[in-house]
Structure formats: C-alpha cells, structure tokens
Amino acid sequence: MTNRLEFSDITKAFPGIKALSEVSFCAECGQITALLGENGAGKSTLLKILSGDIKADNGEVLLDGEPQNFKAPSDALSAGISVIYQERQMVSSLSVMENIFAGELPRNRFGIINYKKLKTEAQKLIDLFELPLDARMTVGRLSVAQQQMVEIMRAYRRNSDVIAFDEPTASLAEAEITILFKLIKELARQGKIVIYVSHRMAEIFRITDKIIVLKDGKFVADLKTSETDERTLVKAMVGREIGDTFSKLSRCTEQGEMILEVKNLTTKKVTGINLSLRKGEIIGLAGLVGAGRTELARAIFGADKIDSGEVLIDGKNIRYKNPSGALALGIALCPEDRKEEGLVLFRSMKENITISVLSRIRKFLFLSNSEEKRLSDRAIEKYDIKTPSINELVGELSGGNQQKVILGRATNELMSTRVLILDEPTKGIDVGSKAEIYQMICDFAKTGIGVIVISSELPEVLNISDTIYVMANGRISGVLTREEASEETVLELAMAEQ
Amino acid sequence: MKRLKRIFGSNYLALIVVTAAVMLLFFILNNNFLALDNVKNLMNAVSFTGTITVGMALLLIAGEVDLASGAEACFGGVVCAMAINAGVPWPVALIIALVFGACCGLVNAFFVNVVHIMGFICTLGIMGIYNGLIRVVTDNHPIPAYEPSFWKLGSTTLFGIFPLPFVIMITLMVVYGLILTRTNFGRTIYMIGGNRRAARLCGINPQRIITALYVNNGMLAALAGVILTARMHNASPGAASTGAIDAITAAVLGGISFLGGVGGMGGCFIGILLITVFSAGLTATGLPSYWQIVAQGAILVFALSVDFFNSKARKRRLERDEIKRRRLHFESRATENQHRETD
C-alpha cells in the first residue's frame, strides 16, 4: 500500500517549448488532490509522465520515497498507478466483466476462462460501488458515464494505489457527475491517492482536499481547498509578463458596417450562438480547449452541419452547405491543424497557394502558368515567405512559413475575402513570427476584412481583439471589449458552469 | 532532361533502364522476341491493359482504387457483342457499352461517397458481382460478334506497324496527361489525393471529383473491353480477369503512389510497357503459364513495397527537417537569452 506520491523537480522539454520545469509537490493517501491550470500549463504532460507514457528529462516520481523508473505504461500499472483519460481505453465489443478483469481473467485448470467466477467477482465490485450496471452488458452499448465507471472499477480491481483522472466530467450530465463523485470519494475513503485534473472550478471545490496550481509548466501554489476561494485560484493561474509585442502593433481604428451576423446558431457541438462582426473588426474567441470554438468556426465556414439558426452576410440570410459555398461569399478559414487540414504537404507551395482559385486562373482549357506564378510571388512578397522557390514542397517549409502560405491563400486578390477566420494562428510558431502574424491580422482589419481569431493563449486574445467572445461548454458565456477584458475576467467566464 | 523528369517522374531513368534490360534479356533468350510480328502483338497486349490503366491511374492519384475495372472491361465487351448480335450498328453498340461502363462507375461512386465504404473493399465485392453476372448472361461461353466492319477497330494498322488499339491508348495517355498536369480538374485530383480534408476546406468538392473519376474509369474500362472484343471477334467471359491487378501494378511501378497524390501518365506508360514485356517475355521463353501468374503477383508486391518505402522516406525526411529546424531555433533562443543575462 502506497501512502505518498511525490513529484520531485520534474522537467520536460519538447522541441521549442519547455512543458514542465522543476515541478515538485506531493499527494497523500486518502486525499483528493486537484491539478489546476489553464491550457498549456503542463497538466497533461505531468499525467503522461505519471503513467509512464513519456519520460521526464529530469526529476523523479517517488512512491513512498522510492524513486520510480517507468520505461512504459505497463511499468506504471504494475507499480499501482492507473490514469483514466478522457478517451475511454476499453474493448467496446466485450462485456463489462471482461473489461474489468482484462489481462487477468479467472481460469480453470485447463486454461479456459471461468465465466461463473468472473461474473460473481465482477458483480461483487459493482455492488461495492452500488452502480446501476449488469456485469454481462456489452461495454460499447453503455453511456459514456457508465463506461467511465467500468474503467474506474478496473483500476480498483488492479489494486492501484494511485488513481488519476483527466477531466473526467467533460462529457457527463449532472446526475452522472453525482455518481462519479460518490465513486471518487469512496476511493479516497479507502485510502487511495486520487489525482483530479479539471478546468471546472465548482467541481474542484466540491470534491478535492487540496489544489496544486500550475502555470506555464511551473509549480505556482499548493493550497488547501477549505482555505481558498475562486478569486485566489484564478489570480494564481494567470498573470505573466507581456513584452512590448502588442504595444507596437499598428491597429485598425475604424470599423465599418456589419458584414457577418450569426443568430441563434446551433449545431451538434455548439448551442444558441449569437455573434456579429463589422468591417475592420477583430473578434477574439477565447475559451478552454473543447469549449466549442473550432466547431463554431467550422459551422460558420460551412464545414459542419448547422441544425438551426442563421448566418447573415451583409444582412442577407444565405444558406451554403459546404466550404466552397462559404469561399464564394468571401468567408475564409485557416484551420488549426496545418498539417492535417490546412495544407497538402507533398505538393508545391505554388499549388497550395492557388488551390482555392483554380477555376479563376484558367486560360481557355488550361491553367495559366504565369498567373499561378504571379499569385505565388505576390504572396511571397506580401508575407515575406522564406522559400527557395515556388515549386518547393510546402511540407519542407518551417511552421511559420507554412502558416503564411495558408494566409497567402486565404487573402489573395482573386478570393475577395471579407471574413477571415483564423484558428490558433500562432500555434507552434516561434516568437518572432508570432509578432509578424499579429501585425498581419491588424493589417487585414485595416483593409476592411472582418477577422475572427481563435486562440488559447490569453494574452494573445486579450491584446489583438477589439471584442472578445468567451465560450464555455458550447455556448457564449460572455462578451467583453478589449478595455473591459482582463485575464481574470476572461478565465472566470471560460470556466463558468452554464 | 528536366522535362523528361517532369513527364516520367523522378524514378523514370531506373524504370527505363529496367524495361530495356528486360527486353534485352528476353531478346537474348529468344531471338524472335523483337521480330515485327511479336512487337505488334506486344503493342496490342499493351493497349488493353494500358487503356484500363489510364482510368485507374487517375483514381489512384485521387487516393481511390477500382478493383472491378477488369470485370467492367469484360462486361463492356459482352454488352457490345450482344448489342451487335441484336442488329445494332457497331458505333451505337460502342456507345451503349460506354454508357454501361459509366453506370458501373456510378455504382462504385455511390458506395464510396454515399455509403462510405472504402473503395478498395467495396469494389472488391462489386468485382465478384460483375464476374458472376457476366457468366450468368453469357452462360460462360464466348459471345461471337460477327461484324467485319467492327473487327477493323481491332485490326487496322497505321503506318504499317502501329495497331489502332495502341494508337488509341497513346492518344488517351497524352490527353489525360495534359488534363492531369495542365487543367483545373487535374490539379484538384492531386490535391484531394494529397490531403482530402485540406482540399475540402479549400473549396474543392471531393465527392464530385471522385464520382467523375469512377465514371471516367468505368467508361475507359468498357472501351478497353470493346476494343478487345473487336480484336478477338468475340467477347469471352474470362477475358479480363486480371485487368484491374495489371493496371494497378503498372501504375504503381510507374511511380503513382497507392496512397494518392503523386505520379503521372509518363511513368504509367513505362510501367505498362514493363509488365507487358515481362509477361510476354515469360511466354516467349516457354515458362509454364501458372508460373507467370506467380511472377505477376511478385511484381505487384515488389512495386507496392517500393512505393510504401518511398512514401515513408518522404514523411521521415519532412519530420527530420522539422526537428532540426526546431532544435536550431531553440538553441538560438537559448544563446540569445544568455547574452541578455550577461548584458
């Protein structure tokens, strides 16, 4: 039985960023310890190190003072550590009991599975936690919450002393959350070490005993839940130095008439969205990962199906069913995942620039070579794209230059773009290029384009947007102007329970 | 040189050398191999697989495949022969066969686009359906197509050496080569093959393009079947059983990636030449026909191995570059910070 889990000086760097630096804290048995921090604070990396998924560059995980050396997730499991991720890790075609006992099914003398014993053992566990489940049900047919319960029982059955939860309530309804919390409290009562990662403030106050706050990969605070409040926590999570990157920006000061209006838009992922965008305005969409920002952008762009509500362009309600319809109206999207959704990596930079306007650069039957070259050269000149030639494979360019290629495509003169949606435009981009991209965004606004920027970096959204829409749980939880907004107010809205 | 490289793809030199070496080898083994008659036979044999390969190549570049191409070719020939027997003038019979081929393509497109089955799997099933139906319709006997003016489609020779089917194939390859490299439509084929999600977000409608490609493929396969029927004077139910596999082998040998997005018509031509010469050569040397089947399978596996190896190497190179760039950047920032601290 392990009584104490300790992280000592954990450091982990990924190419380009330091995900964790010298994080130390400990968690005691019988307690629920929360890990809190905004996007990119290093919570997931820490969990991955705990589960043996990745190895820390420096520092140790200690169980009862014993340093551990996990080479693979199986090592962590046999040391008594179970991590329950948001994505279920079960065989959905097998039954509840088979999943609970996966890897250690009871067998008889001949090596054949003893189903009778399996069923009674599984039922014992289900009764212990008083869950509404039948051991013989197929896991694939259970609800998300029920699947999670099965996974917790599996962790319990393995005799894990440390059980960590990564955002366990992300897709649960209130009634299910109540059952889950009862279960988690039961685990703590039995003397387990429970680690609980969540963005949701209310939950943390409901069940945890102490709170570890991380910021930008660093340990910030270790607080007793009973002795702290929301305000203190939010303050600990935010606040960092912003260089003069933003004060140097030359902004657009004039806003024109309304170009895009979204009324009561509802899709599978977002509900009742109202939003309006003027010429020359920059709207920032803030929120935590999974709040529905990308999904809202995709719906406006025609990439996802709209269930109800309207999108008005220039005050007219126009229905388009796919991205090509949106592009024809002058709405362009630069997606978050450049490699998967933004670019055709194994084709040339030129082909990636002209792909959206091919039908407009035709001369008689054939594509016009000179026109393609002209458009590509224009983009290189306008955005200072560093490439050996326009025939270079786009996958060979650096992240910043790839992003500029996407911008060059979305804003070339044949597109007549009026609404530009940028999803995490500076993700994975170095600081120098970031500043260039901020200026470009302001320049777009100056030419009368309405810009919507999605970003998970708070200082970024706060400083480049004119208006900030904060999303939480697929809804808009607040609208602020740049003057009104601060990291605290935005984060509080982003963590709001609806 | 650069132009050659563009037309035939980057591995063209190796391919041409291999093809020439294979020809030479068979010439040494059998001195009649390069005799005029045999060369004509070769060109005829090339033209059937070649015509099917044109449609297949476009599908492969878009990241799709049609395993039923051979069966569609055979079915096209059967439909044409039956129409001629029913007293329809042969040009009309040809058009009926082409329309039939287009319908076959629509069926494939329906299952791929609407039902969302992987092309590889659904056309595998459809191939079985067609092969069975052909035997039902023909009672597993060749259907004679008695119409001397129709036979001319297969037997005419231009300039004394080039059989008409071969000329038709070359024309198709040139036209489709131009479509691929020079037109809007061709460019979108490469883009959806390279990254379908990105292409859709750039305003391309992948489903429409894929439908067009399957229909086109069905028509070209049917055309190949009709020409074969004209050459043989009958439509045989087992005539094109390996058509699709040969076409895929030829295309992949010629540098078209099975994973889509890469390749062109020039490489395709050499690929077709290579596999046809290879199998004809095996016949000429008197290798038992069962062993030829083994050899053909081996070539396909070989070509696919090279293709997957190449794609992996391409991906690895990009990843390596990315890591190198990031490390450089990280280091330069670190030294920058040091400077700042010492200042």
Side-chain angles (χ1 to χ4, degrees):
Chain A
M1 186 87 196
T2 311
N3 294 317
R4 192 179 154 86
L5 163 72
E6 196 176 340
F7 291 93
S8 160
D9 281 340
I10 301 272
T11 299
K12 174 81 197 173
F14 291 112
I17 60 157
K18 221 167 199 188
L20 290 171
S21 76
E22 293 169 10
V23 173
S24 305
F25 66 91
C26 64
E28 307 279 344
C29 69
Q31 281 196 337
I32 303 174
T33 307
L35 263 184
L36 186 67
E38 57 158 328
N39 299 331
K43 296 165 300 189
S44 320
T45 314
L46 202 59
L47 276 192
K48 279 186 186 150
I49 289 172
L50 179 64
S51 71
D53 201 2
I54 55 176
K55 228 173 137 7
D57 298 339
N58 219 335
E60 280 165 334
V61 176
L62 298 99
L63 293 175
D64 277 344
E66 287 283 317
Q68 305 289 316
N69 181 19
F70 303 141
K71 293 199 180 66
S74 57
D75 294 341
L77 268 182
S78 52
I81 296 173
S82 285
V83 178
I84 295 168
Y85 291 103
Q86 277 173 50
E87 308 84 41
R88 303 281 80 83
Q89 316 206 323
M90 277 181 295
V91 186
S92 56
S93 57
L94 293 183
S95 67
V96 169
M97 54 187 187
E98 282 163 316
N99 270 293
I100 295 180
F101 284 89
E104 284 166 48
L105 294 166
R107 288 163 214 238
N108 65 16
R109 260 179 304 163
F110 308 108
I112 293 165
I113 296 165
N114 184 344
Y115 275 102
K116 216 169 171 183
K117 189 166 170 217
L118 178 62
K119 190 177 165 258
T120 43
E121 294 283 318
Q123 198 59 51
K124 261 191 223 160
L125 270 177
I126 294 171
D127 295 341
L128 175 71
F129 290 107
E130 298 171 10
L131 296 176
L133 287 173
D134 182 325
R136 287 165 305 180
M137 281 196 276
T138 308
V139 163
R141 298 169 78 168
L142 301 178
S143 73
V144 180
Q146 288 171 319
Q147 293 189 11
Q148 203 167 37
M149 292 165 194
V150 176
E151 209 164 346
I152 295 169
M153 283 192 283
R154 184 168 67 185
Y156 182 83
R157 193 270 310 160
R158 277 182 189 142
N159 256 328
S160 298
D161 297 323
V162 180
I163 301 178
F165 294 88
D166 186 12
E167 303 267 355
T169 55
S171 41
L172 303 192
E174 185 49 43
E176 297 168 328
I177 293 178
T178 312
I179 301 181
L180 174 75
F181 282 180
K182 214 178 99 200
L183 229 161
I184 293 178
K185 278 185 180 154
E186 174 67 22
L187 290 173
R189 204 186 56 78
Q190 296 200 8
K192 308 278 182 203
I193 299 169
V194 180
I195 308 275
Y196 187 90
V197 174
S198 179
H199 295 310
R200 300 191 184 181
M201 220 41 112
E203 286 174 5
I204 285 182
F205 282 103
R206 222 163 114 191
I207 64 162
T208 66
D209 299 300
K210 73 169 189 171
I211 303 168
I212 306 292
V213 184
L214 295 177
K215 182 176 75 184
D216 296 339
K218 295 195 181 85
F219 169 86
V220 188
D222 181 345
L223 304 159
K224 276 218 166 66
T225 311
S226 51
E227 293 167 8
T228 186
D229 57 23
E230 249 181 68
R231 202 134 279 255
T232 323
L233 285 180
V234 168
K235 217 168 226 157
M237 286 164 69
V238 299
R240 72 175 72 116
E241 275 179 57
I242 306 160
D244 46 9
T245 327
F246 295 108
S247 54
K248 278 190 205 148
L249 282 183
S250 131
R251 298 176 195 272
C252 168
T253 47
E254 271 174 59
Q255 291 180 8
E257 65 266 33
M258 198 76 84
I259 32 177
L260 174 81
E261 261 180 291
V262 175
K263 284 189 179 159
N264 248 325
L265 182 90
T266 299
T267 71
K268 280 205 182 74
K269 298 283 175 64
V270 297
T271 324
I273 302 290
N274 287 301
L275 179 148
S276 55
L277 177 69
R278 292 176 178 283
K279 273 190 174 174
E281 186 181 22
I282 302 174
I283 286 184
L285 278 183
L288 299 166
V289 171
R293 294 166 302 164
T294 299
E295 289 75 12
L296 171 59
R298 286 178 61 92
I300 294 175
F301 187 57
D304 285 347
K305 205 174 147 258
I306 294 175
D307 291 337
S308 68
E310 348 183 287
V311 177
L312 283 79
I313 312 287
D314 291 332
K316 277 172 293 203
N317 182 8
I318 305 173
R319 271 283 156 128
Y320 42 88
K321 282 187 302 217
N322 50 32
S324 74
L327 284 166
L329 289 167
I331 305 174
L333 171 78
C334 301
E336 172 183 3
D337 194 334
R338 291 191 291 270
K339 290 186 164 64
E340 291 294 321
E341 302 200 311
L343 295 165
V344 187
L345 291 180
F346 292 114
R347 303 302 305 183
S348 69
M349 176 246 164
K350 173 185 80 179
E351 288 171 306
N352 275 287
I353 290 268
T354 55
I355 176 170
S356 294
V357 291
L358 286 175
S359 57
R360 271 168 264 178
I361 53 172
R362 208 162 44 185
K363 228 197 268 159
F364 183 46
L365 282 173
F366 297 130
L367 291 172
S368 156
N369 254 332
S370 54
E371 187 73 1
E372 278 200 276
K373 186 168 171 345
R374 194 179 66 83
L375 285 175
S376 314
D377 285 340
R378 273 296 301 275
I380 290 178
E381 187 191 337
K382 197 165 150 196
Y383 297 112
D384 191 25
I385 302 174
K386 298 201 173 52
T387 173
S389 89
I390 60 171
N391 293 316
E392 183 79 357
L393 294 191
V394 92
E396 305 261 8
L397 304 181
S398 74
N401 284 310
Q402 288 183 354
Q403 186 66 300
K404 290 179 190 172
V405 170
I406 296 181
L407 287 174
R409 170 171 74 215
T411 59
N412 75 44
E413 65 206 56
L414 294 179
M415 293 272 288
S416 52
T417 297
R418 298 187 305 156
V419 177
L420 182 62
I421 309 172
L422 305 167
D423 194 351
E424 302 282 1
T426 61
K427 190 177 172 188
I429 285 176
D430 58 89
V431 183
S433 303
K434 270 187 186 175
E436 278 182 72
I437 287 176
Y438 298 145
Q439 187 54 55
M440 281 173 201
I441 293 171
C442 292
D443 291 345
F444 294 144
K446 278 188 199 159
T447 59
I449 295 176
V451 187
I452 300 178
V453 181
I454 299 175
S455 172
S456 293
E457 285 188 38
L458 275 178
E460 191 172 297
V461 200
L462 285 171
N463 286 287
I464 58 172
S465 332
D466 298 313
T467 316
I468 295 147
Y469 284 70
V470 188
M471 289 189 74
N473 301 316
R475 293 166 191 276
I476 302 272
S477 57
V479 183
L480 305 162
T481 62
R482 183 166 63 238
E483 291 72 33
E484 291 167 349
S486 66
E487 293 202 25
E488 283 85 356
T489 49
V490 171
L491 204 56
E492 251 170 277
L493 284 169
M495 291 181 159
E497 310 283 315
Q498 64 264 39
Chain B
M1 199 65 176
K2 215 171 172 186
R3 199 174 177 82
L4 268 179
K5 199 165 174 174
R6 224 189 55 218
I7 296 176
F8 291 106
S10 54
N11 288 333
Y12 77 100
L13 204 67
L15 265 176
I16 292 174
V17 171
V18 171
T19 314
V22 169
M23 280 186 165
L24 193 70
L25 177 74
F26 288 127
F27 180 66
I28 294 166
L29 290 175
N30 182 341
N31 280 329
N32 285 331
F33 187 67
L34 290 178
L36 189 61
D37 271 354
N38 200 42
V39 170
K40 261 194 208 163
N41 277 340
L42 262 181
M43 286 199 269
N44 269 321
V46 163
S47 67
F48 175 69
T49 317
T51 309
I52 297 180
T53 308
V54 172
M56 185 72 85
L58 265 59
L59 277 174
L60 286 172
I61 292 173
E64 290 290 330
V65 68
D66 182 3
L67 292 179
S69 291
E72 283 157 11
C74 182
F75 220 152
V78 168
V79 166
C80 178
M82 289 169 85
I84 287 173
N85 288 341
V88 175
W90 76 262
V92 180
L94 169 70
I95 290 168
I96 292 175
L98 290 184
V99 171
F100 179 80
C103 293
C104 291
L106 269 184
V107 172
N108 291 335
F110 170 78
F111 284 107
V112 169
N113 284 334
V114 184
V115 193
H116 297 294
I117 314 177
M118 253 165 65
F120 190 88
I121 304 297
C122 93
T123 58
L124 183 68
I126 287 173
M127 173 179 80
I129 296 176
Y130 290 164
N131 276 335
L133 280 179
I134 290 167
R135 276 152 179 99
V136 170
V137 175
T138 61
D139 204 14
N140 208 11
H141 290 299
I143 299 197
Y146 193 83
E147 174 64 62
S149 60
F150 173 57
W151 296 346
K152 289 219 175 79
L153 186 62
S155 59
T156 310
T157 309
L158 298 173
F159 311 113
I161 35 168
F162 297 113
L164 184 59
F166 184 74
V167 175
I168 292 175
M169 179 203 80
I170 293 289
T171 316
L172 286 172
M173 292 198 122
V174 171
V175 170
Y176 279 90
L178 282 176
I179 289 178
L180 274 178
T181 52
R182 302 288 303 280
T183 69
N184 177 354
F185 181 68
R187 177 69 60 77
T188 50
I189 297 175
Y190 282 107
M191 294 319 236
I192 61 173
N195 186 345
R196 194 167 298 182
R197 275 161 75 194
R200 179 168 177 262
L201 291 182
C202 289
I204 290 171
N205 185 342
Q207 297 195 335
R208 199 186 298 161
I209 306 281
I210 285 167
T211 305
L213 291 180
Y214 271 114
V215 168
N216 171 65
N217 179 66
M219 286 172 73
L220 286 172
L223 176 67
V226 169
I227 296 173
L228 185 71
T229 305
R231 197 149 62 82
M232 298 301 184
H233 301 182
N234 67 51
S236 158
S241 52
T242 62
I245 301 299
D246 290 345
I248 294 170
T249 312
V252 175
L253 262 183
I256 290 179
S257 172
F258 201 75
L259 304 172
V262 181
M265 273 298 152
C268 226
F269 174 73
I270 302 177
I272 297 157
L273 207 62
L274 183 57
I275 65 156
T276 318
V277 165
F278 194 73
S279 65
L282 289 180
T283 317
T285 52
L287 191 78
S289 63
Y290 299 136
W291 279 108
Q292 289 182 29
I293 302 175
V294 175
Q296 275 160 5
I299 301 183
L300 177 57
V301 173
F302 168 75
L304 285 173
S305 308
V306 172
D307 173 34
F308 278 86
F309 180 77
N310 276 341
S311 322
K312 250 187 161 164
R314 272 200 303 264
K315 262 210 188 99
R316 262 206 307 273
R317 202 180 65 225
L318 288 192
E319 273 162 20
R320 217 175 31 230
D321 288 356
E322 174 80 19
I323 290 171
K324 211 177 3 183
R325 242 190 335 257
R326 290 205 170 187
R327 187 173 305 136
L328 277 177
H329 174 72
F330 196 48
E331 281 164 5
S332 71
R333 262 178 68 193
T335 47
E336 221 171 82
N337 286 340
Q338 268 173 12
H339 285 310
R340 208 170 290 156
E341 273 161 28
T342 49
D343 276 350

